Amino acid sequence: MSEIKNMTGGEAMLRAAKANGIDTVFGLPGAQVYPLFDAIYRSPDVNAIISRHEQGAAYMAYGYSAATGKPGAFAVVPGPGILNASAALCTAQACNKPVLCMTGQVMSEFLGKGRGHLHELPDQLATLASIVKHADRIDDVANTSAQMNEAFRQMQSGRPGPVSIEMCWDTMAKYWDVEIGPGNDTIDKPAVNDDEIDDAAELIANAKNIMIMCGGGAQHASAEVRELAEMLGASVTSFRSGRGVVSEDSIWGVSCAAAHQLWLETDLLIGIGSRLEMQYMRWESMEHYIDRPPEGGAKLIRIDIDPKEMQRFKPDVAVVADALDATRALIEKAGRKGFKSGDLDRIAEAKARARKDIQEIQPQMSYLDIIREVLPRDGYFVEELCQVGFTSNFGFDVYEPRTYVTTGYQGTLGYGFPTAIGVKAAMPDRAVLSIIGDGGFMFGMPELASAAQHDIGLITIIFNNHSFGNVRRDQQLKYDSNLIGADLDNPDFVKLAESFGVNGYRVNSPDELKPALTEAIDEDKPAIIEVLIERGSETSPWKYIHR
Ligand SMILES: Cc1ncc(C[n+]2csc(CCOP(=O)(O)OP(=O)(O)O)c2C)c(N)n1
């Protein structure tokens, strides 16, 4: 039974979030959101993790969501606080992650007046609405349950995504008689359409070499996708967000480097919860095939919960449904097709050949091989926009769903370290690794203080090549070596770590990384491992991403 209570708007917002399962709020307090933070203070069942910059809080919530599949929540001041958090919101939107942003507003009487009230944006709600799935303001606190439940419905229904809820300063501070009811219990998804499954089954029956491409939308359908692959003799691949749906140490799971070797012979591609960026924007050129695959190429079945996807990129057969439901229906309809034993040999050969080929990407592959050896199977690997991160897209085998955390198409440099803090906060019993370049690390470096203060034991490996290495290589190759903004003078990362009370290691080779990483994982404390890399010495990983 819910009860009538006298509470502030901020407390109402928190209670409604709690009714929807929120147990952790990442955030940074300020005047308009004091009542919300006061409610958090008075809620022993809510874990408050305070960041040193709003981008950090939002990335942590993103990491929490990426690691668990559940909504992650953060609270920041409006205006500049929201804009500081906005790159993380774009990333959550790109990667379809349910992230709840709770924020304030100017005093209600000043809304839209343009008087320059503290933290005022011309139209914060419209600004947020343009980057998140659903943005709303609670003006009448009596409606808090309904509006918050709608936000949770939006976050998790159909294509998931981030939402924002704001409340004016005075509304949040005032006491109201308000009833907070139970949380949202509705997650909408389209029902599987039998005709679409029949059409897909027909294409499958006529196909010889089938490839399944998983995106982030398939992360909850791991067992089903694996069963379908086993029945059809299909390889299962992914680029970033779909990594780990089918383990890459099974015969069916193949890296994108191995998948490319199978691609020319593929006559049917089944995309599951994926935009198919790899096949049609990376392998077939970034410049063509905007809305249709090339003529004469593989036939295409797309399974996607978002009907708009089928207009953006048209398949031969569109199955608009949840990945798990549709894959299960396909197993029942098309699973009897079977396959030739030679199909498995073909996949195994491609995997072996790709594994050998990619060893030319050095020193990145040597480091990744050590990391894979030391990191437990269920440990999290948070990639970044750096030479080792790009290489990991094809060179680091992933074994379990959700354990490869990525920024997707946003390519948000610097997201990785604060995101990994959120991953570890959500999954304290698992090993969590952030691998990052020296350039990217400095974006979120202040959050080292948050990791230390909250004793969040993630391990960060900084690959220090004293440059924005990717930019440097591009300028060398495409702009006559006119280096601008490419070379970086860095702090001493080991001393930096120690100054935050965090363990620091410095290593010079993959062999030296192994004992340092093993020790850091055993210790389960925040740690920085700096890997020294000679500037400009890495092999470009791009030939295995753009074909
Ligand atoms: C928000 C954002 N700003 C800029 C970029 C462009 N960018 C991509 S990679 C890169 C350099 C990364 O340098 P570092 O993190 O040191 O990794 P390295 O390439 O040296 O391994 C830059 C500036 C980006 N992707 N995202």
Side-chain angles (χ1 to χ4, degrees):
M1 254 272 292
S2 47
E3 39 182 344
I4 305 268
K5 274 250 172 183
N6 198 273
M7 65 182 95
T8 65
E11 180 163 358
M13 195 189 265
L14 182 73
R15 284 194 181 209
K18 285 202 301 185
N20 280 286
I22 293 299
D23 58 9
T24 303
V25 178
F26 303 93
L28 201 159
Q32 289 98 333
V33 289
Y34 282 158
L36 177 58
F37 277 81
D38 185 59
I40 296 171
Y41 175 86
R42 288 183 286 101
S43 284
D45 51 346
V46 174
N47 187 15
I49 295 180
I50 305 306
S51 67
R52 299 304 176 98
H53 185 285
E54 285 88 1
Q55 68 163 355
Y59 282 131
M60 289 173 203
Y62 173 70
Y64 180 103
S65 173
T68 60
K70 296 190 301 189
F74 72 94
V76 294
V77 297
I82 281 295
L83 295 181
N84 283 341
S86 60
L89 286 172
C90 295
T91 306
Q93 178 76 358
C95 296
N96 312 306
K97 295 289 181 274
V99 170
L100 169 69
C101 162
M102 293 180 283
T103 191
Q105 246 299 3
V106 298
M107 295 279 178
S108 50
E109 286 191 327
F110 283 79
L111 259 183
K113 295 283 192 287
R115 283 286 314 283
H117 209 284
L118 178 65
H119 298 335
E120 183 172 357
L121 282 184
D123 190 344
Q124 176 170 282
L125 199 55
T127 302
L128 280 164
S130 73
I131 53 171
V132 297
K133 187 177 175 193
H134 167 85
D136 198 8
R137 184 173 58 244
I138 299 172
D139 291 323
D140 180 352
V141 173
N143 289 336
T144 301
S145 257
Q147 286 180 258
M148 290 288 282
N149 286 359
E150 172 60 10
F152 277 84
R153 190 186 70 79
Q154 291 273 355
M155 246 189 296
Q156 296 168 286
S157 288
R159 177 192 278 269
V163 301
S164 70
I165 295 284
E166 64 184 41
M167 209 184 254
C168 287
W169 191 344
D170 51 329
T171 314
M172 195 183 272
K174 241 168 66 182
Y175 281 78
W176 303 75
D177 273 342
V178 49
E179 185 176 1
I180 300 300
N184 168 59
D185 57 4
T186 317
I187 296 181
D188 305 323
K189 55 180 183 176
V192 176
N193 175 321
D194 287 341
D195 293 343
E196 293 176 353
I197 296 293
D198 286 345
D199 292 347
E202 199 179 313
L203 276 192
I204 287 172
N206 293 319
K208 280 216 289 287
N209 296 321
I210 303 176
M211 180 181 288
I212 297 174
M213 172 68 188
C214 290
Q219 284 290 352
H220 63 296
S222 169
E224 288 70 19
V225 175
R226 164 123 187 196
E227 192 177 334
L228 183 68
E230 285 181 12
M231 287 173 138
L232 302 179
S235 56
V236 183
T237 192
S238 54
F239 179 26
R240 292 171 302 226
S241 301
R243 304 289 304 280
V245 170
V246 171
S247 171
E248 288 166 26
D249 66 353
S250 74
I251 179 71
W252 324 99
V254 305
S255 72
C256 63
H260 188 257
Q261 308 224 5
L262 297 163
W263 179 232
L264 280 183
E265 290 176 8
T266 299
D267 59 354
L268 175 64
L269 180 68
I270 307 176
I272 307 184
S274 165
R275 293 176 304 108
L276 309 170
E277 171 179 330
M278 187 173 75
Q279 280 83 4
Y280 303 112
M281 282 197 259
R282 302 276 179 177
W283 291 352
E284 301 278 1
S285 149
M286 288 283 258
E287 291 165 16
H288 309 293
Y289 312 119
I290 295 163
D291 57 5
R292 279 284 306 149
E295 288 301 324
K299 293 256 185 255
L300 177 61
I301 297 171
R302 295 192 70 185
I303 298 173
D304 204 291
I305 202 160
D306 184 355
K308 283 200 204 110
E309 269 303 310
M310 306 303 180
Q311 303 311 316
R312 293 186 185 124
F313 196 74
K314 297 183 193 71
D316 297 289
V317 172
V319 178
V320 177
D322 173 80
L324 193 154
D325 301 342
T327 307
R328 172 108 342 265
L330 260 189
I331 290 166
E332 274 151 33
K333 262 273 154 53
R336 278 167 312 214
K337 172 183 170 1
F339 58 91
K340 305 185 298 296
S341 61
D343 292 343
L344 296 192
D345 298 340
R346 214 171 54 88
I347 297 173
E349 278 160 25
K351 285 177 77 137
R353 220 175 319 132
R355 187 102 299 272
K356 203 155 147 251
D357 291 351
I358 61 177
Q359 283 301 330
E360 69 174 305
I361 309 298
Q362 292 297 347
Q364 300 97 305
M365 278 307 304
S366 296
Y367 283 108
L368 285 168
D369 286 344
I370 293 288
I371 294 171
R372 186 61 283 178
E373 202 184 317
V374 177
L375 187 70
R377 283 187 73 82
D378 65 356
Y380 284 88
F381 181 100
V382 183
E383 56 107 74
E384 252 286 346
L385 285 286
C386 66
Q387 299 313 296
V388 175
F390 295 131
T391 306
S392 77
N393 289 170
F394 56 83
F396 182 80
D397 283 354
V398 183
Y399 300 148
E400 306 242 342
R402 300 191 201 286
T403 56
Y404 185 82
V405 178
T406 157
T407 173
Y409 72 80
Q410 274 300 341
T412 333
L413 183 64
Y415 92 103
F417 172 59
T419 294
I421 296 178
V423 172
K424 183 69 181 177
M427 294 291 187
D429 298 332
R430 300 250 205 121
V432 177
L433 201 56
S434 160
I435 60 104
I436 196 160
D438 48 310
F441 177 71
M442 292 299 280
F443 277 44
M445 183 272 284
E447 303 309 341
L448 203 44
S450 317
Q453 190 165 343
H454 292 280
D455 196 20
I456 298 173
L458 90 150
I459 297 151
T460 304
I461 306 183
I462 305 172
F463 289 92
N464 182 5
N465 55 13
H466 293 279
S467 59
F468 285 130
N470 213 64
V471 171
R472 191 174 198 277
R473 186 192 306 108
D474 284 343
Q475 291 177 348
Q476 280 177 320
L477 296 178
K478 298 176 198 158
Y479 294 90
D480 224 5
S481 289
N482 293 337
L483 299 184
I484 174 165
D487 291 346
L488 304 174
D489 292 337
N490 286 320
D492 178 324
F493 287 115
V494 173
K495 280 193 187 148
L496 180 83
E498 287 167 356
S499 74
F500 282 88
V502 165
N503 288 338
Y505 303 80
R506 180 171 292 121
V507 307
N508 279 288
S509 67
D511 285 346
E512 286 179 22
L513 176 62
K514 193 171 175 179
L517 182 57
T518 307
E519 183 179 306
I521 291 178
D522 283 350
E523 290 238 323
D524 203 24
K525 292 271 167 207
I528 295 286
I529 303 176
E530 180 189 19
V531 176
L532 289 174
I533 306 264
E534 193 185 328
R535 190 182 272 161
S537 66
E538 298 104 330
T539 317
S540 169
W542 288 102
K543 68 187 265 200
Y544 290 102
I545 295 174
H546 286 283
R547 311 300 293 235

PDB file of all heavy atoms in Angstrom, residues 392-408:
ATOM      1  N   SER A 392      41.166  -3.658 -30.484  1.00  0.00           N
ATOM      2  CA  SER A 392      40.333  -4.602 -29.728  1.00  0.00           C
ATOM      3  C   SER A 392      39.011  -4.890 -30.441  1.00  0.00           C
ATOM      4  O   SER A 392      38.402  -5.924 -30.217  1.00  0.00           O
ATOM      5  CB  SER A 392      40.056  -4.067 -28.319  1.00  0.00           C
ATOM      6  OG  SER A 392      39.063  -3.046 -28.338  1.00  0.00           O
ATOM      7  N   ASN A 393      38.574  -3.980 -31.326  1.00  0.00           N
ATOM      8  CA  ASN A 393      37.321  -4.229 -32.058  1.00  0.00           C
ATOM      9  C   ASN A 393      37.366  -5.575 -32.800  1.00  0.00           C
ATOM     10  O   ASN A 393      36.362  -6.237 -32.964  1.00  0.00           O
ATOM     11  CB  ASN A 393      37.048  -3.141 -33.111  1.00  0.00           C
ATOM     12  CG  ASN A 393      36.664  -1.788 -32.532  1.00  0.00           C
ATOM     13  OD1 ASN A 393      36.607  -0.806 -33.252  1.00  0.00           O
ATOM     14  ND2 ASN A 393      36.404  -1.724 -31.243  1.00  0.00           N
ATOM     15  N   PHE A 394      38.575  -5.938 -33.268  1.00  0.00           N
ATOM     16  CA  PHE A 394      38.699  -7.218 -33.974  1.00  0.00           C
ATOM     17  C   PHE A 394      39.705  -8.161 -33.307  1.00  0.00           C
ATOM     18  O   PHE A 394      39.733  -9.345 -33.615  1.00  0.00           O
ATOM     19  CB  PHE A 394      39.116  -6.993 -35.437  1.00  0.00           C
ATOM     20  CG  PHE A 394      40.389  -6.191 -35.595  1.00  0.00           C
ATOM     21  CD1 PHE A 394      41.628  -6.776 -35.508  1.00  0.00           C
ATOM     22  CD2 PHE A 394      40.331  -4.816 -35.828  1.00  0.00           C
ATOM     23  CE1 PHE A 394      42.796  -6.022 -35.641  1.00  0.00           C
ATOM     24  CE2 PHE A 394      41.490  -4.053 -35.958  1.00  0.00           C
ATOM     25  CZ  PHE A 394      42.733  -4.666 -35.859  1.00  0.00           C
ATOM     26  N   GLY A 395      40.516  -7.649 -32.363  1.00  0.00           N
ATOM     27  CA  GLY A 395      41.632  -8.444 -31.861  1.00  0.00           C
ATOM     28  C   GLY A 395      41.499  -8.900 -30.418  1.00  0.00           C
ATOM     29  O   GLY A 395      42.426  -9.524 -29.902  1.00  0.00           O
ATOM     30  N   PHE A 396      40.381  -8.588 -29.772  1.00  0.00           N
ATOM     31  CA  PHE A 396      40.190  -9.024 -28.388  1.00  0.00           C
ATOM     32  C   PHE A 396      38.941  -9.883 -28.331  1.00  0.00           C
ATOM     33  O   PHE A 396      37.831  -9.386 -28.559  1.00  0.00           O
ATOM     34  CB  PHE A 396      40.041  -7.795 -27.472  1.00  0.00           C
ATOM     35  CG  PHE A 396      39.890  -8.147 -26.026  1.00  0.00           C
ATOM     36  CD1 PHE A 396      40.992  -8.476 -25.251  1.00  0.00           C
ATOM     37  CD2 PHE A 396      38.636  -8.175 -25.426  1.00  0.00           C
ATOM     38  CE1 PHE A 396      40.855  -8.828 -23.913  1.00  0.00           C
ATOM     39  CE2 PHE A 396      38.491  -8.515 -24.086  1.00  0.00           C
ATOM     40  CZ  PHE A 396      39.608  -8.837 -23.331  1.00  0.00           C
ATOM     41  N   ASP A 397      39.099 -11.154 -28.065  1.00  0.00           N
ATOM     42  CA  ASP A 397      37.937 -12.053 -28.039  1.00  0.00           C
ATOM     43  C   ASP A 397      37.075 -11.766 -26.819  1.00  0.00           C
ATOM     44  O   ASP A 397      37.584 -11.561 -25.721  1.00  0.00           O
ATOM     45  CB  ASP A 397      38.392 -13.512 -28.014  1.00  0.00           C
ATOM     46  CG  ASP A 397      38.854 -13.979 -29.385  1.00  0.00           C
ATOM     47  OD1 ASP A 397      38.709 -13.204 -30.363  1.00  0.00           O
ATOM     48  OD2 ASP A 397      39.356 -15.109 -29.492  1.00  0.00           O
ATOM     49  N   VAL A 398      35.776 -11.757 -27.043  1.00  0.00           N
ATOM     50  CA  VAL A 398      34.827 -11.480 -25.957  1.00  0.00           C
ATOM     51  C   VAL A 398      34.014 -12.751 -25.719  1.00  0.00           C
ATOM     52  O   VAL A 398      33.562 -13.390 -26.666  1.00  0.00           O
ATOM     53  CB  VAL A 398      33.908 -10.289 -26.319  1.00  0.00           C
ATOM     54  CG1 VAL A 398      32.971  -9.957 -25.154  1.00  0.00           C
ATOM     55  CG2 VAL A 398      34.748  -9.062 -26.682  1.00  0.00           C
ATOM     56  N   TYR A 399      33.820 -13.084 -24.445  1.00  0.00           N
ATOM     57  CA  TYR A 399      33.223 -14.376 -24.111  1.00  0.00           C
ATOM     58  C   TYR A 399      31.814 -14.288 -23.535  1.00  0.00           C
ATOM     59  O   TYR A 399      31.088 -15.275 -23.550  1.00  0.00           O
ATOM     60  CB  TYR A 399      34.109 -15.099 -23.085  1.00  0.00           C
ATOM     61  CG  TYR A 399      35.528 -15.379 -23.544  1.00  0.00           C
ATOM     62  CD1 TYR A 399      36.583 -15.393 -22.627  1.00  0.00           C
ATOM     63  CD2 TYR A 399      35.819 -15.638 -24.883  1.00  0.00           C
ATOM     64  CE1 TYR A 399      37.884 -15.666 -23.030  1.00  0.00           C
ATOM     65  CE2 TYR A 399      37.121 -15.906 -25.300  1.00  0.00           C
ATOM     66  CZ  TYR A 399      38.150 -15.914 -24.365  1.00  0.00           C
ATOM     67  OH  TYR A 399      39.435 -16.170 -24.766  1.00  0.00           O
ATOM     68  N   GLU A 400      31.464 -13.159 -22.973  1.00  0.00           N
ATOM     69  CA  GLU A 400      30.167 -13.108 -22.282  1.00  0.00           C
ATOM     70  C   GLU A 400      29.395 -11.849 -22.688  1.00  0.00           C
ATOM     71  O   GLU A 400      30.013 -10.806 -22.934  1.00  0.00           O
ATOM     72  CB  GLU A 400      30.377 -13.052 -20.760  1.00  0.00           C
ATOM     73  CG  GLU A 400      31.246 -14.170 -20.256  1.00  0.00           C
ATOM     74  CD  GLU A 400      30.527 -15.079 -19.280  1.00  0.00           C
ATOM     75  OE1 GLU A 400      29.491 -14.669 -18.740  1.00  0.00           O
ATOM     76  OE2 GLU A 400      31.025 -16.195 -19.084  1.00  0.00           O
ATOM     77  N   PRO A 401      28.048 -11.939 -22.725  1.00  0.00           N
ATOM     78  CA  PRO A 401      27.259 -10.754 -23.084  1.00  0.00           C
ATOM     79  C   PRO A 401      27.593  -9.560 -22.189  1.00  0.00           C
ATOM     80  O   PRO A 401      27.905  -9.736 -21.005  1.00  0.00           O
ATOM     81  CB  PRO A 401      25.812 -11.203 -22.850  1.00  0.00           C
ATOM     82  CG  PRO A 401      25.842 -12.684 -22.911  1.00  0.00           C
ATOM     83  CD  PRO A 401      27.206 -13.110 -22.450  1.00  0.00           C
ATOM     84  N   ARG A 402      27.522  -8.384 -22.777  1.00  0.00           N
ATOM     85  CA  ARG A 402      27.676  -7.080 -22.096  1.00  0.00           C
ATOM     86  C   ARG A 402      29.072  -6.790 -21.555  1.00  0.00           C
ATOM     87  O   ARG A 402      29.290  -5.751 -20.948  1.00  0.00           O
ATOM     88  CB  ARG A 402      26.692  -6.920 -20.920  1.00  0.00           C
ATOM     89  CG  ARG A 402      25.241  -6.994 -21.319  1.00  0.00           C
ATOM     90  CD  ARG A 402      24.321  -6.564 -20.175  1.00  0.00           C
ATOM     91  NE  ARG A 402      22.985  -7.071 -20.361  1.00  0.00           N
ATOM     92  CZ  ARG A 402      22.110  -6.600 -21.242  1.00  0.00           C
ATOM     93  NH1 ARG A 402      22.420  -5.560 -21.981  1.00  0.00           N
ATOM     94  NH2 ARG A 402      20.928  -7.144 -21.376  1.00  0.00           N
ATOM     95  N   THR A 403      30.033  -7.721 -21.713  1.00  0.00           N
ATOM     96  CA  THR A 403      31.332  -7.494 -21.070  1.00  0.00           C
ATOM     97  C   THR A 403      32.282  -6.637 -21.910  1.00  0.00           C
ATOM     98  O   THR A 403      33.381  -6.319 -21.454  1.00  0.00           O
ATOM     99  CB  THR A 403      32.040  -8.825 -20.720  1.00  0.00           C
ATOM    100  OG1 THR A 403      32.159  -9.600 -21.915  1.00  0.00           O
ATOM    101  CG2 THR A 403      31.271  -9.599 -19.666  1.00  0.00           C
ATOM    102  N   TYR A 404      31.874  -6.292 -23.127  1.00  0.00           N
ATOM    103  CA  TYR A 404      32.687  -5.389 -23.951  1.00  0.00           C
ATOM    104  C   TYR A 404      31.898  -4.087 -24.047  1.00  0.00           C
ATOM    105  O   TYR A 404      30.851  -4.015 -24.686  1.00  0.00           O
ATOM    106  CB  TYR A 404      32.898  -6.003 -25.330  1.00  0.00           C
ATOM    107  CG  TYR A 404      33.824  -5.241 -26.254  1.00  0.00           C
ATOM    108  CD1 TYR A 404      35.211  -5.392 -26.161  1.00  0.00           C
ATOM    109  CD2 TYR A 404      33.317  -4.395 -27.240  1.00  0.00           C
ATOM    110  CE1 TYR A 404      36.068  -4.716 -27.026  1.00  0.00           C
ATOM    111  CE2 TYR A 404      34.169  -3.719 -28.103  1.00  0.00           C
ATOM    112  CZ  TYR A 404      35.535  -3.892 -27.995  1.00  0.00           C
ATOM    113  OH  TYR A 404      36.389  -3.226 -28.855  1.00  0.00           O
ATOM    114  N   VAL A 405      32.377  -3.056 -23.368  1.00  0.00           N
ATOM    115  CA  VAL A 405      31.610  -1.801 -23.298  1.00  0.00           C
ATOM    116  C   VAL A 405      32.212  -0.817 -24.298  1.00  0.00           C
ATOM    117  O   VAL A 405      33.432  -0.655 -24.373  1.00  0.00           O
ATOM    118  CB  VAL A 405      31.640  -1.231 -21.863  1.00  0.00           C
ATOM    119  CG1 VAL A 405      30.899   0.098 -21.804  1.00  0.00           C
ATOM    120  CG2 VAL A 405      31.014  -2.231 -20.897  1.00  0.00           C
ATOM    121  N   THR A 406      31.345  -0.190 -25.071  1.00  0.00           N
ATOM    122  CA  THR A 406      31.797   0.631 -26.189  1.00  0.00           C
ATOM    123  C   THR A 406      30.992   1.926 -26.285  1.00  0.00           C
ATOM    124  O   THR A 406      29.915   2.043 -25.694  1.00  0.00           O
ATOM    125  CB  THR A 406      31.693  -0.174 -27.510  1.00  0.00           C
ATOM    126  OG1 THR A 406      31.599   0.707 -28.621  1.00  0.00           O
ATOM    127  CG2 THR A 406      30.487  -1.088 -27.529  1.00  0.00           C
ATOM    128  N   THR A 407      31.504   2.866 -27.033  1.00  0.00           N
ATOM    129  CA  THR A 407      30.829   4.144 -27.246  1.00  0.00           C
ATOM    130  C   THR A 407      30.019   4.152 -28.549  1.00  0.00           C
ATOM    131  O   THR A 407      29.403   5.161 -28.890  1.00  0.00           O
ATOM    132  CB  THR A 407      31.870   5.278 -27.217  1.00  0.00           C
ATOM    133  OG1 THR A 407      31.278   6.507 -27.565  1.00  0.00           O
ATOM    134  CG2 THR A 407      32.971   5.042 -28.189  1.00  0.00           C
ATOM    135  N   GLY A 408      30.048   2.990 -29.258  1.00  0.00           N
ATOM    136  CA  GLY A 408      29.241   2.887 -30.474  1.00  0.00           C
ATOM    137  C   GLY A 408      29.629   3.944 -31.499  1.00  0.00           C
ATOM    138  O   GLY A 408      30.774   4.388 -31.561  1.00  0.00           O
TER     139      GLY A 408
END
